[in-house]
Amino acid sequence: MSYTRRRFLHTLVVSAGAVTLSSLTGCSNDNNSSTPAPDNLPVVSPQYFPQSVMSGDPRPDSVILWTRAVDGDGDLALTLQVSSDPEFATVVVEQDFTAAAANGHCIKVRVTELDPYQHYYYRFLYSKDGALHSSKTGRTKTAPASDADVEVKFGFASCQDYLGRYYNTYLSLLARDDLDFVLHLGDYIYETTGDASFQDTGGERSIEFRDTDGALTIGTGEAAFQAANSIDNYRQLYETYRSDAVLQELHERFPLVAIWDDHEFSDDSWQTNATYLAGAADEEQTSRKRNAEQVYFEFMPIDHSAPHGDSGSGALEVSDDQLFPHTKIYRDLQFGKHLHLALTDYRTYRPDHLIPEDAFPATVAINSTTLTAFLAGQGMPQGGIDATLAQMSPVVDIDAAPFAPYKAAFVEIFTGLYTEELMSRLDLDQASALAQAGERATAAIQGLLTSSYLNLVLTQAQATLPDGHPLKALPPLPETGVDTGLAFYTLGKTTLFSDLGARYLVIRETFDLYAGYLEFMAQQQGSSVQTPYDAAQFSWLQGVLSQSGATHKVMASSVSFAPLLADLSASREDSGIVDLEAVLDSDLVPSALKQRFYLNVDHWDGFPQFKAGLINDLLSATGTVSLSGDIHASFVTQHPANANTGLASVDFTTSSVSSGTFGSFLDDGLNGLLAQLGDVPPEVSQLKYFFDAIALTASKRDDVSSKLVFSRMWEHGVGVATAGGGGFKVDYHNVPTVWDGVDWVKTSFYTDRARFLAQVRTHRFNWDGTTLEQFPA
């Protein structure tokens, strides 16, 4: 595959060698001091530096410095100054650079030969009409030397949607001055500008793309919204997000260590594929992925050259060879003897979600013969095999002669249903939609299909038809006395195009079986359908975690290792909440819901066998802590100890800075599922108030090895971690979305910080390698 070569941003490398004295500000070298000349004193001019300054990826001897400088459309000549003091009395770096329009006017500079564990101050200067204009002064901090016995403190955060929301939660980090850096776990931006399913539109915090022709339009009619596609689209998002005063203040004060998740490219993405249309059309978007990567590297102060082996001096160019399919952002940073941080990339090389979003619900993914052979090969006794087959869905061969009338009827019914779905998702005229729908229906209605789903659709169709219609005379397909199999309907897939039953709210027992079978078959061919890492990243991760001698090895994962389950089955553990148990035991809950569900298989739960092996064989085996994000909830998960090493792992998942909580998304998903089941009593709709209890109880089952010990699905927040000889401490600083009549995310508290901080709830934990303790707030 060939790509058009483009000119990319340079990460410019300079050394802080011998102390230099600034000629720009009239410095004198008398007594090794400098005094700015009054007539040439730089004036802080934010209008030329609209996104202020940032630093990132601190090492004991280096750090990345960033700014964006704009004055018209052309290139700007700038000077970087780095000092050991905030007054710039001693300048250790002074060097000229160019903020090129071709790079979005961004500059990234790697400064080397710095002293370990020291604060440095930096600014960028722009000379115009005889006046010297300055960015705000940024403060950064290098990492401690690898053998330094120092306690390291850092913030960690995830998911900061801008539309209609404020970054109040960062005030908890700005209220303290003892952080060595801030770790961002992904979703630094959101690529959409008005997805009504989770974003607010209009008002002060809104975005309209200036390059509207270059953007993607998703959906049709009033439900349509736009997503970033072009380089300018992605640049505009970073420019707008980074214009926020609190976000600027955070970056001016603390260096950033960052990885990406999906929204830096596209929601629930895998490799170069988007998922907006749920399989209604192909969404392979290589050029869009590369645009997103280029702009990420332009705007984020990460040392993206180091993973490609470039650690020397000189200008480091971001070339085509560093973008997909050669992307590498995984890297490791060490902070003294107590913290070794492995930064991973879950998205770039991960496979597709195991259940296709456009999977036809009735299609049998594993027939009884294949399932029997697979289970026998796994060592299951015949009794267990028979019990498993009995739990599968009834199956008929729709191509058998007795079912010929049904085949014709279902092709007709599903042609209509596909037409309606396609027209609601794609900009198609009716003739085009009908043609595509006919092809999909014909392909779907063949071979082994589950009669339980087909009967459901037949009943619904018959209810809309007038008396005397031929379809009214068709009796239900047989559901007893027939073969069984694992269909997509058996996994929870109930609609033609949907993330429900594909990425969310998937039946746990059948999904684990299906995922295990797919992985077994892939491994017979020497591949995997479950690892999100390519061979190079996985080998690197194994090496870092197994060879590190740090007190605390920490893996940064953009998605959570928490077992996110809802167990509504009769065999569930007792939650201890009388009212909840009474509702779950009653007929108020539809029988289709009385099962055990994975809440989100876009996360690690979507790769169950690989996840189990990764936890036991690497994370627990090496005593690694994981820090995670993306799910918009705070979780703490304790994994079982590795039998060989006796060590164990714990996952700390932080909630969203500003994005809607997982509780709100789960409530929407549950309502969508309930709507498919007809009228639901209000008692069932009240389950949302027990989401935390349901998730905590679900992991108590013996067949769930990792235990969820803390859950807050309705709170936003950030975390603060402390790595030292006494343990690994985590404090969650959280707020509810709405409390006492106030929306604490959609209301700005930038000028009333004390009021917001008084609302913050602190949840405290300590992990000493064997024992996890929670302390009173």
Side-chain angles (χ1 to χ4, degrees):
M1 185 177 294
S2 63
Y3 300 102
T4 302
R5 296 193 63 84
R6 297 173 284 191
R7 183 180 177 214
F8 292 97
L9 172 71
H10 284 199
T11 299
L12 303 153
V13 182
V14 297
S15 298
V19 173
T20 62
L21 300 177
S22 175
S23 60
L24 287 172
T25 54
C27 297
S28 165
N29 62 3
D30 294 340
N31 299 318
N32 199 33
S33 64
S34 61
T35 304
D39 60 349
N40 203 27
L41 188 68
V43 176
V44 176
S45 305
Q47 68 270 27
Y48 298 121
F49 303 92
Q51 284 73 40
S52 193
V53 295
M54 294 180 73
S55 66
D57 276 15
R59 298 183 185 273
D61 62 349
S62 69
V63 70
I64 302 293
L65 303 180
W66 177 95
T67 196
R68 177 173 179 268
V70 180
D71 186 12
D73 296 329
D75 299 348
L76 265 66
L78 302 179
T79 300
L80 167 66
Q81 288 186 330
V82 181
S83 175
S84 56
D85 62 272
E87 290 78 27
F88 289 83
T90 302
V91 177
V92 298
V93 168
E94 183 174 288
Q95 189 158 334
D96 296 336
F97 301 105
T98 299
N103 302 322
H105 302 280
C106 296
I107 291 179
K108 286 169 69 172
V109 179
R110 184 200 288 153
V111 180
T112 63
E113 298 185 30
L114 299 172
D115 293 329
Y117 214 44
Q118 295 294 318
H119 279 120
Y120 286 92
Y121 302 85
Y122 62 98
R123 63 188 178 188
F124 292 84
L125 305 176
Y126 168 49
S127 180
K128 180 180 181 180
D129 299 332
L132 200 55
H133 301 276
S134 173
S135 68
K136 294 180 183 178
T137 296
R139 186 188 70 174
T140 192
K141 190 177 186 181
T142 51
S146 60
D147 59 351
D149 185 5
V150 295
E151 194 173 65
V152 179
K153 293 184 181 180
F154 61 97
F156 61 104
S158 177
C159 305
Q160 55 185 45
D161 192 8
Y162 176 89
L163 274 68
R165 300 168 183 273
Y166 293 88
Y167 302 147
N168 298 314
T169 49
Y170 279 138
L171 298 177
S172 291
L173 302 184
L174 290 171
R176 56 195 305 156
D177 203 44
D178 59 348
L179 300 180
D180 295 305
F181 62 94
V182 172
L183 170 65
H184 202 286
L185 293 159
D187 295 344
Y188 187 93
I189 62 161
Y190 281 71
E191 82 285 12
T192 52
T193 62
D195 184 347
S197 68
F198 72 96
Q199 289 181 312
D200 290 344
T201 58
E204 177 185 354
R205 307 277 282 194
S206 62
I207 302 173
E208 292 185 10
F209 287 129
R210 58 196 175 218
D211 177 18
T212 57
D213 292 340
L216 292 178
T217 298
I218 309 299
T220 61
E222 295 183 358
F225 61 92
Q226 286 201 310
N229 180 33
S230 68
I231 287 177
D232 188 73
N233 292 157
Y234 283 106
R235 283 175 177 167
Q236 184 180 354
L237 291 173
Y238 285 95
E239 292 167 16
T240 305
Y241 278 55
R242 202 76 63 71
S243 68
D244 179 88
V246 162
L247 190 59
Q248 286 190 7
E249 187 177 343
L250 183 80
H251 292 325
E252 290 159 6
R253 188 182 300 185
F254 306 116
L256 183 75
V257 174
I259 56 176
W260 57 39
D261 191 41
D262 51 346
H263 285 288
E264 284 87 352
F265 165 46
S266 191
D267 182 33
D268 283 1
S269 58
W270 57 279
Q271 297 179 33
T272 60
N273 295 268
T275 59
Y276 301 120
L277 303 178
D282 177 60
E283 294 186 84
E284 197 286 323
Q285 299 164 347
T286 298
S287 63
R288 181 181 180 224
K289 170 68 171 173
R290 288 163 62 84
N291 289 344
E293 290 181 345
Q294 176 184 333
V295 177
Y296 184 87
F297 293 150
E298 288 176 350
F299 277 81
M300 300 297 284
I302 73 167
D303 196 345
H304 55 270
S305 297
H308 290 272
D310 191 345
S311 58
S313 60
L316 304 179
E317 182 176 333
V318 181
S319 68
D320 284 339
D321 294 336
Q322 293 173 320
L323 301 180
F324 191 88
H326 309 294
T327 313
K328 291 183 182 180
I329 67 163
Y330 58 85
R331 61 206 190 278
D332 63 296
L333 300 170
Q334 186 151 358
F335 297 84
K337 63 186 296 184
H338 296 306
L339 177 62
H340 197 162
L341 183 60
L343 301 152
T344 63
D345 178 3
Y346 178 85
R347 291 289 171 183
T348 301
Y349 296 103
R350 62 153 289 163
D352 193 0
H353 305 91
L354 297 183
I355 303 175
E357 290 87 349
D358 64 339
F360 184 57
T363 296
V364 175
I366 314 177
N367 63 39
S368 60
T369 302
T370 302
L371 190 55
T372 297
F374 170 65
L375 294 175
Q378 300 299 303
M380 181 178 286
Q382 188 61 46
I385 294 174
D386 292 341
T388 300
L389 291 175
Q391 298 301 312
M392 298 297 106
S393 298
V395 169
V396 298
D397 183 352
I398 202 70
D399 292 320
F403 302 121
Y406 292 92
K407 183 178 177 75
F410 283 121
V411 168
E412 178 185 343
I413 291 170
F414 281 104
T415 296
L417 293 175
Y418 273 120
T419 300
E420 182 180 340
E421 285 286 330
L422 289 169
M423 292 190 69
S424 71
R425 296 170 183 274
L426 307 176
D427 186 17
L428 296 175
D429 58 58
Q430 188 169 15
S432 298
L434 184 62
Q436 289 190 29
E439 292 175 359
R440 284 184 176 267
T442 300
I445 306 303
Q446 60 179 308
L448 298 180
L449 302 175
T450 177
S451 55
S452 52
Y453 173 74
L454 294 179
N455 283 336
L456 177 65
V457 174
L458 179 62
T459 300
Q460 293 172 344
Q462 289 173 333
T464 65
L465 296 174
D467 291 339
H469 193 285
L471 286 182
K472 282 272 196 178
L474 282 178
L477 288 163
E479 296 190 29
T480 59
V482 296
D483 201 3
T484 63
L486 193 159
F488 290 110
Y489 184 65
T490 325
L491 295 163
K493 186 78 162 50
T494 60
T495 53
L496 301 180
F497 303 112
S498 180
D499 54 14
L500 290 178
R503 304 198 302 272
Y504 304 102
L505 293 175
V506 173
I507 298 172
R508 195 251 190 180
E509 278 73 14
T510 49
F511 180 78
D512 282 355
L513 179 58
Y514 170 73
Y517 169 74
L518 293 183
E519 182 66 5
F520 173 79
M521 295 302 294
Q523 290 189 5
Q524 302 309 299
Q525 304 298 318
S527 62
S528 172
V529 295
Q530 292 195 24
T531 175
Y533 306 133
D534 64 345
Q537 181 176 186
F538 192 43
S539 177
W540 162 84
L541 182 63
Q542 290 174 310
V544 169
L545 298 184
S546 62
Q547 297 171 22
S548 175
T551 307
H552 303 290
K553 294 174 281 291
V554 176
M555 172 182 167
S557 168
S558 63
V559 300
S560 179
F561 282 95
L564 300 182
L565 296 165
D567 190 352
L568 310 182
S569 68
S571 57
R572 69 186 182 279
E573 292 288 326
D574 193 323
S575 67
I577 302 173
V578 175
D579 291 343
L580 173 60
E581 295 301 320
V583 171
L584 295 181
D585 283 332
S586 73
D587 293 334
L588 296 172
V589 177
S591 58
L593 286 182
K594 291 191 174 183
Q595 305 188 70
R596 187 161 46 160
F597 293 91
Y598 280 124
L599 301 177
N600 181 357
V601 293
D602 180 60
H603 275 203
W604 281 109
D605 280 343
F607 303 134
Q609 286 77 27
F610 183 82
K611 174 188 176 182
L614 180 67
I615 290 171
N616 181 70
D617 301 337
L618 186 57
L619 301 186
S620 284
T622 58
T624 296
V625 172
S626 57
L627 298 179
S628 309
D630 184 67
I631 196 62
H632 306 185
S634 299
F635 297 118
V636 179
T637 304
Q638 186 163 1
H639 304 302
N642 177 274
N644 295 323
T645 67
L647 301 174
S649 177
V650 172
D651 177 80
F652 295 98
T653 299
T654 186
S655 190
S656 58
V657 169
S658 59
S659 308
T661 61
F662 186 52
S664 65
F665 294 154
L666 186 58
D667 188 34
D668 290 342
L670 181 61
N671 289 336
L673 185 60
L674 293 174
Q676 299 173 21
L677 302 174
D679 294 332
V680 178
E683 292 88 345
V684 177
S685 66
Q686 301 305 302
L687 288 176
K688 63 184 178 182
Y689 298 114
F690 300 101
F691 283 166
D692 289 320
I694 290 172
L696 288 165
T697 305
S699 75
K700 293 179 180 178
R701 293 272 289 267
D702 290 341
D703 63 349
V704 182
S705 57
S706 296
K707 303 302 180 183
L708 189 67
V709 298
F710 177 79
S711 174
R712 291 294 186 275
M713 296 192 195
W714 294 94
E715 296 177 357
H716 305 269
V718 295
V720 173
T722 304
F728 190 84
K729 302 180 179 66
V730 169
D731 293 350
Y732 290 120
H733 298 269
N734 287 6
V735 293
T737 303
V738 178
W739 189 257
D740 198 23
V742 177
D743 191 311
W744 297 90
V745 173
K746 295 184 179 180
T747 305
S748 173
F749 289 93
Y750 292 7
T751 59
D752 193 5
R753 301 185 178 193
R755 183 185 175 197
F756 179 84
L757 293 172
Q759 183 67 26
V760 172
R761 305 167 179 178
T762 306
H763 311 286
R764 304 180 186 277
F765 298 87
N766 183 67
W767 170 247
D768 65 5
T770 57
T771 303
L772 178 67
E773 294 182 273
Q774 182 175 2
F775 300 99

